[in-house]
């Protein structure tokens, strides 16, 4: 089954404790992206990756890091989480062609993060 | 600049028809997507328009007018399970990321019996 998986699905942590949210897709997609979703602010892109070893900042990258060492995986790293990073996080992937309906983004199930 | 507007909330009755509007401003339009998102879940793809006109998929249809920067999503024969947020997103090829989607804040639709 074609899918994007994320782990963990729920996480409660404390300020300053490094954490990693994993994301994996099995569709051989080139383009992967991390979003956070907050009430009243919608989906905001954190980082994206056009392909292996190619990553770039989105609209709200501060406090986050990513890596893309393999095509299927795109982990999100919070080196020193703070309460303002409490949010619902989504990983998404797409073919990466940049055209057509086939380049729609497929989303993982989400990770609800609470930073105390 | 880039901007997408859609109503915050709508209410409709089971069995009825509802139209959710989306207006956008972007310099490098390259397609418009509609996604459905149930509370606490991931957005799922509903429809795509890149040319003017109507695209129909079962109970859902989406319309686009590029000259007006306008789209709508039409939901027919509403069911209770259609209660969700509907997100309008525009793919923008200006700037460094031509796969980037500009997202609206979503329209929360409540379907009442």
């Amino acid at each position: 089954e074609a899918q994007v998986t994320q782990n963990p699905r729920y996480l409660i942590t404390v300020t300053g404790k490094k954490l990693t949210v994993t994301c994996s897709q099995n569709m051989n997609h080139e383009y992967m992206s991390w979003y956070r979703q907050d009430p009243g602010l919608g989906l905001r892109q954190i980082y994206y990756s056009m392909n292996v070893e190619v990553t770039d900042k989105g609209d709200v990258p501060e406090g986050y890091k990513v890596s893309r060492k393999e095509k299927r995986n795109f982990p999100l790293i919070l080196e020193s989480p703070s309460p303002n990073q409490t949010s619902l996080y989504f990983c998404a992937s797409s073919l990466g062609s940049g055209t057509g309906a086939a380049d729609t983004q497929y989303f993982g199930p989400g990770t609800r993060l609470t930073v105390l | 600049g880039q901007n997408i507007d859609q109503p915050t909330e709508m209410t409709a009755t089971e069995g009825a028809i509802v139209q959710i509007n989306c207006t956008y401003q972007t310099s490098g339009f390259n397609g418009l997507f509609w996604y459905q998102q149930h509370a606490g879940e991931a957005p799922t793809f509903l429809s795509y328009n890149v040319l003017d006109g109507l695209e129909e998929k079962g109970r859902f249809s989406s319309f686009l007018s590029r000259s007006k920067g306008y789209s709508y999503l039409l939901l027919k024969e509403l069911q209770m399970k259609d209660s969700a947020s509907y997100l309008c997103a525009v793919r923008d090829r200006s700037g460094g990321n031509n796969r980037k989607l500009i997202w609206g804040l979503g329209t929360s639709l409540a379907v009442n019996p």
Side-chain angles (χ1 to χ4, degrees), chain B residues 15-87:
Chain B
I17 299 173
V18 70
Q19 178 175 312
I20 302 174
N21 296 325
C22 170
T23 58
Y24 64 88
Q25 291 177 307
T26 177
S27 53
F29 178 83
N30 191 25
L32 186 145
F33 295 84
W34 283 96
Y35 282 78
Q36 180 190 60
Q37 185 178 25
H38 286 99
E41 297 183 9
T44 55
F45 170 71
L46 284 179
S47 69
Y48 172 78
N49 297 73
V50 67
L51 300 177
D52 291 351
L54 190 68
E55 294 284 340
E56 297 187 81
K57 288 175 70 174
R59 294 189 299 115
F60 295 75
S61 303
S62 57
F63 171 84
L64 175 67
S65 169
R66 289 172 295 171
S67 62
K68 296 181 179 177
Y70 168 70
S71 173
Y72 68 73
L73 180 69
L74 194 71
L75 291 77
K76 303 175 187 175
E77 302 170 13
L78 280 172
Q79 302 175 10
M80 299 296 289
K81 67 178 181 180
D82 297 329
S83 293
S85 184
Y86 292 85
L87 309 177

Side-chain angles (χ1 to χ4, degrees), chain A:
Chain A
E1 180 191 353
Q3 59 181 349
V4 180
T5 57
Q6 291 179 230
N7 282 292
R9 295 289 313 280
Y10 302 91
L11 180 60
I12 300 175
T13 189
V14 295
T15 299
K17 186 176 182 182
K18 181 179 178 180
L19 66 92
T20 299
V21 184
T22 64
C23 172
S24 184
Q25 51 92 6
N26 63 0
M27 295 171 279
N28 201 35
H29 283 171
E30 289 192 350
Y31 185 79
M32 297 186 75
S33 185
W34 274 104
Y35 294 93
R36 60 178 292 174
Q37 187 175 37
D38 303 287
L41 297 176
L43 281 166
R44 294 181 292 168
Q45 189 180 55
I46 302 170
Y47 268 93
Y48 65 93
S49 170
M50 297 257 194
N51 213 326
V52 176
E53 303 291 3
V54 182
T55 64
D56 208 344
K57 297 176 181 178
D59 297 316
V60 288
E62 294 76 22
Y64 304 95
K65 287 174 59 177
V66 293
S67 68
R68 186 94 181 270
K69 292 182 169 52
E70 306 165 283
K71 198 170 187 178
R72 62 186 296 130
N73 296 323
F74 190 44
L76 179 70
I77 303 155
L78 285 72
E79 294 269 3
S80 183
S82 62
N84 65 11
Q85 293 178 298
T86 293
S87 186
L88 179 59
Y89 290 86
F90 290 106
C91 179
S93 74
S94 67
L95 280 172
S97 65
T99 59
D103 200 37
T104 188
Q105 292 194 12
Y106 294 87
F107 284 79
T111 296
R112 187 166 292 281
L113 173 66
T114 302
V115 183
L116 302 175

